[in-house]
Amino acid sequence: MIEIKKICKKDVPALFEDSDFWNHPFLSVSKHRLYAHSKNPNCGNDDVVLLLAYLNNELVGYMGVFIDKIILDNTEDKIGWLSTWWVHPKTKGSGIGREILDTMYSLNQGKIGISQFTPSAKRVYDKSGYFVTLKENHGIKAVLRSNLSFVVPKLLPWTSKIKKGIDTMDAVLNFGINFKLNIQKSFIKRELKNVTLEYLNIIDNEVLNIVNKFNKNHISPKDASFFEWLKAYFWVQEAPLLELTNKNKYEFSIYDKSFNVYYIKVIENKACIGFLVLQKRNHVAKLLFSYYDTTKDSKVMANIIKLQSIVQDTREIICYDESICNELRKSNVFLYKTKKDKHSIISKTFGKDNFDDITMNFGDGDCSFA
């Protein structure tokens, strides 16, 4: 018999203290992710944050959801962005995966979306008949340094056995590359001679004004409470001793050797001209949100991202901001650049199938957190 148990925001404190739940052979959520849901300013006490699936009284699957607010056709609505979905392989053919999806759809009155997904998950979403395409964002992956230690094991999993050798190859290649980047760094600094940066943990009124000025048509306009929450409750925690953690109990992001989100206030000639939200996880930087005048300041923003990436030993930059992508494409600091595509879908329940009039940032949905 299949049973689906819902965990609402109000249930989080009790689940947090349930030792049996945390000692289960696999994790359905991490403690810090669960706690973050309980602090989500857009999540009500009765909103679902997690579904637990049982087959014959055995926990065999789960689905997580991130509650957010969106604006479509000038109307604000609540949405649940599906953030995790996993079922035990032994349940294949039981229909429990579809049961989890149907339950989440029903509990949210059909108002759900997915901001990123694997090809296999996409096939299931398509088969459900619930969704339409929300956005197909086209961006860039700009590679600054050799990153074989990340790329090769993804393509050839067996090479994880020779990780030390691949790391050595990266080190050798990057020795010469770093010499080149250090020279280029000085030229970028000259172009930013009138620019001052402030690194924030909460946004001030100047930044909020910039955000409000340049968030027109955004599907999910962000406010001060969102940015304060995002900075305070990472879903991925830094774990220098990663190999000693319980990360293998969870199928999704839980720890990594380095993880941070930077709030960068950009000031030129004593005036705030922009705000960048940049995530860095290990050697990869992602531009989550950007607020600035695209007609005249895109080069400044791109230079800031390049300079920080050089200084931080970043190897790859991923960006979907069209104006900044154009500047990155023109730059000669990179080894190479490739196209990046990000697809998102949304429920037909919202009654809309053309989303050309809205902007979806890389960080919208659950993409800011992992």
Side-chain angles (χ1 to χ4, degrees), residues 23-35:
N23 289 326
H24 194 270
F26 64 80
L27 289 175
S28 300
V29 67
S30 69
K31 287 184 177 179
H32 44 272
R33 187 183 289 222
L34 182 65
Y35 190 68

Side-chain angles (χ1 to χ4, degrees), residues 118-125:
T118 63
S120 59
K122 177 64 162 55
R123 289 192 291 270
V124 179
Y125 294 137

Side-chain angles (χ1 to χ4, degrees), residues 145-164:
R145 296 175 170 93
S146 176
N147 200 19
L148 296 174
S149 58
F150 177 79
V151 175
V152 173
K154 291 282 186 183
L155 299 174
L156 302 169
W158 65 268
T159 59
S160 60
K161 298 176 182 177
I162 55 170
K163 184 179 183 303
K164 289 184 178 180

Side-chain angles (χ1 to χ4, degrees), residues 213-254:
K213 182 178 181 179
F214 295 112
N215 69 358
K216 301 298 182 287
N217 301 321
H218 287 198
I219 190 172
S220 180
K222 305 307 182 188
D223 58 16
S225 64
F226 169 83
F227 287 115
E228 185 173 352
W229 174 62
L230 171 61
K231 186 68 172 172
Y233 302 102
F234 294 163
W235 290 10
V236 178
Q237 292 294 307
E238 284 195 351
L241 300 179
L242 186 63
E243 64 277 8
L244 298 183
T245 68
N246 61 345
K247 68 181 182 68
N248 293 330
K249 288 185 63 177
Y250 191 45
E251 294 294 323
F252 298 88
S253 296
I254 178 170

Side-chain angles (χ1 to χ4, degrees), residues 353-367:
D353 58 13
N354 187 320
F355 298 90
D356 291 342
D357 59 332
I358 65 103
T359 297
M360 187 158 182
N361 294 291
F362 189 9
D364 285 326
D366 69 333
C367 297

Side-chain angles (χ1 to χ4, degrees), residues 33-83:
R33 187 183 289 222
L34 182 65
Y35 190 68
H37 284 308
S38 74
K39 297 296 182 179
N40 181 352
N42 292 323
C43 187
N45 283 334
D46 292 321
D47 285 330
V48 175
V49 299
L50 180 67
L51 291 182
L52 303 175
Y54 294 83
L55 183 62
N56 299 324
N57 297 317
E58 179 188 357
L59 179 61
V60 292
Y62 55 86
M63 177 178 281
V65 62
F66 158 52
I67 303 300
D68 195 10
K69 290 180 180 178
I70 60 173
I71 295 179
L72 296 176
D73 298 326
N74 298 314
T75 301
E76 184 179 88
D77 215 334
K78 188 173 280 190
I79 187 172
W81 296 105
L82 305 189
S83 58

Side-chain angles (χ1 to χ4, degrees), residues 165-299:
I166 299 175
D167 289 344
T168 301
M169 289 177 64
D170 274 336
V172 171
L173 291 169
N174 287 329
F175 181 81
I177 292 168
N178 285 336
F179 181 79
K180 173 185 78 78
L181 289 175
N182 280 328
I183 296 173
Q184 292 172 313
K185 180 174 67 174
S186 63
F187 291 103
I188 298 173
K189 282 184 176 180
R190 287 181 199 172
E191 294 188 21
L192 295 172
K193 63 182 179 180
N194 296 320
V195 172
T196 303
L197 305 181
E198 291 183 17
Y199 286 83
L200 309 175
N201 60 351
I202 57 173
I203 64 173
D204 56 29
N205 286 333
E206 283 186 310
V207 169
L208 187 58
N209 288 337
I210 286 286
V211 170
N212 290 335
K213 182 178 181 179
F214 295 112
N215 69 358
K216 301 298 182 287
N217 301 321
H218 287 198
I219 190 172
S220 180
K222 305 307 182 188
D223 58 16
S225 64
F226 169 83
F227 287 115
E228 185 173 352
W229 174 62
L230 171 61
K231 186 68 172 172
Y233 302 102
F234 294 163
W235 290 10
V236 178
Q237 292 294 307
E238 284 195 351
L241 300 179
L242 186 63
E243 64 277 8
L244 298 183
T245 68
N246 61 345
K247 68 181 182 68
N248 293 330
K249 288 185 63 177
Y250 191 45
E251 294 294 323
F252 298 88
S253 296
I254 178 170
Y255 306 113
D256 219 325
K257 289 191 174 181
S258 68
F259 184 92
N260 205 351
V261 175
Y262 300 91
Y263 290 173
I264 306 173
K265 177 180 178 180
V266 184
I267 302 164
E268 188 172 48
N269 298 321
K270 299 182 180 180
C272 180
I273 64 166
F275 177 55
L276 302 174
V277 179
L278 195 64
Q279 179 201 95
K280 183 171 184 289
R281 181 171 178 177
N282 292 334
H283 294 294
V284 178
K286 299 178 181 180
L287 181 62
L288 301 180
F289 301 98
S290 50
Y291 304 90
Y292 65 98
D293 188 338
T294 59
T295 64
K296 63 186 184 71
D297 292 324
S298 56
K299 186 174 182 179

